[in-house]
Amino acid sequence: MKKKYTLFSAFVLIVALLLTSVTVSASENNQLDINNVGSLSLTYANDNEIFSDVKVSIYRVADISDDIAYTLTGSFENYPIDVNSASNDYEWQVLSYTLFSYVIADNVQTENAQYTDENGTVKFDNMRTGMYLVVSENPDKTDDESYFNPFLI
């Protein structure tokens, strides 16, 4: 049963990454424009079900510098975490859960929370360049084996 949860969470993450439109603009000298704003679209669905009315919260956890290094920001800036050290899927997952544990322990307030629509889609606009923690409430269905893991984008 736990394998189903993990596979479903991996599926949601892959779908989120595929459906996310990210525009990175560079100046004349090919540097990242850290003042850019963008949007994030996520769809919560699998082969059998569309997940509507799922609360999705985002937390801006880090700023990004011109040389693409992250620095914790806001409510996260004093936590003893190196967000630049993750180099594989497992380390990114651990980092996501570590940040999520701080959200719970310290009751960190979300920057933005929205609910998925009837197609299982949610969109966040006017997002500043940086790193975000995405946290989704799990479905209330007792017969459902779906579970949403937090992730970073």
Side-chain angles (χ1 to χ4, degrees):
M1 183 152 47
K2 183 153 177 94
K3 186 174 182 176
K4 278 188 174 181
Y5 295 145
T6 303
L7 289 174
F8 183 76
S9 297
F11 175 78
V12 170
L13 179 58
I14 290 168
V15 169
L17 292 175
L18 290 174
L19 295 176
T20 301
S21 60
V22 177
T23 304
V24 178
S25 63
S27 61
E28 290 179 16
N29 58 3
N30 282 336
Q31 293 207 345
L32 176 68
D33 181 359
I34 60 173
N35 298 312
N36 217 10
V37 284
S39 63
L40 172 66
S41 294
L42 303 170
T43 299
Y44 288 74
N46 63 26
D47 291 338
N48 304 318
E49 189 170 6
I50 293 174
F51 295 93
S52 60
D53 204 35
V54 173
K55 184 178 180 183
V56 181
S57 301
I58 59 171
Y59 301 85
R60 189 164 189 272
V61 298
D63 291 323
I64 188 168
S65 66
D66 289 327
D67 60 350
I68 311 178
Y70 292 102
T71 306
L72 292 174
T73 189
S75 299
F76 299 89
E77 67 187 348
N78 293 320
Y79 295 134
I81 300 171
D82 180 5
V83 292
N84 295 294
S85 65
S87 62
N88 60 50
D89 290 342
Y90 175 75
E91 291 173 353
W92 281 108
Q93 186 179 24
V94 169
L95 183 58
S96 298
Y97 273 101
T98 301
L99 290 164
F100 181 52
S101 68
Y102 283 118
V103 167
I104 293 171
D106 295 339
N107 196 27
V108 177
Q109 298 302 303
T110 182
E111 183 167 309
N112 193 347
Q114 296 186 36
Y115 288 85
T116 57
D117 63 18
E118 65 277 356
N119 298 312
T121 301
V122 63
K123 183 175 182 184
F124 297 94
D125 292 313
N126 300 316
M127 294 177 60
R128 296 175 291 159
T129 304
M131 183 185 294
Y132 290 82
L133 175 67
V134 179
V135 177
S136 309
E137 286 187 1
N138 292 305
D140 291 333
K141 302 175 185 174
T142 56
D143 61 336
D144 195 2
E145 295 180 1
S146 300
Y147 181 79
F148 303 125
N149 290 317
F151 62 94
L152 291 164
I153 192 158

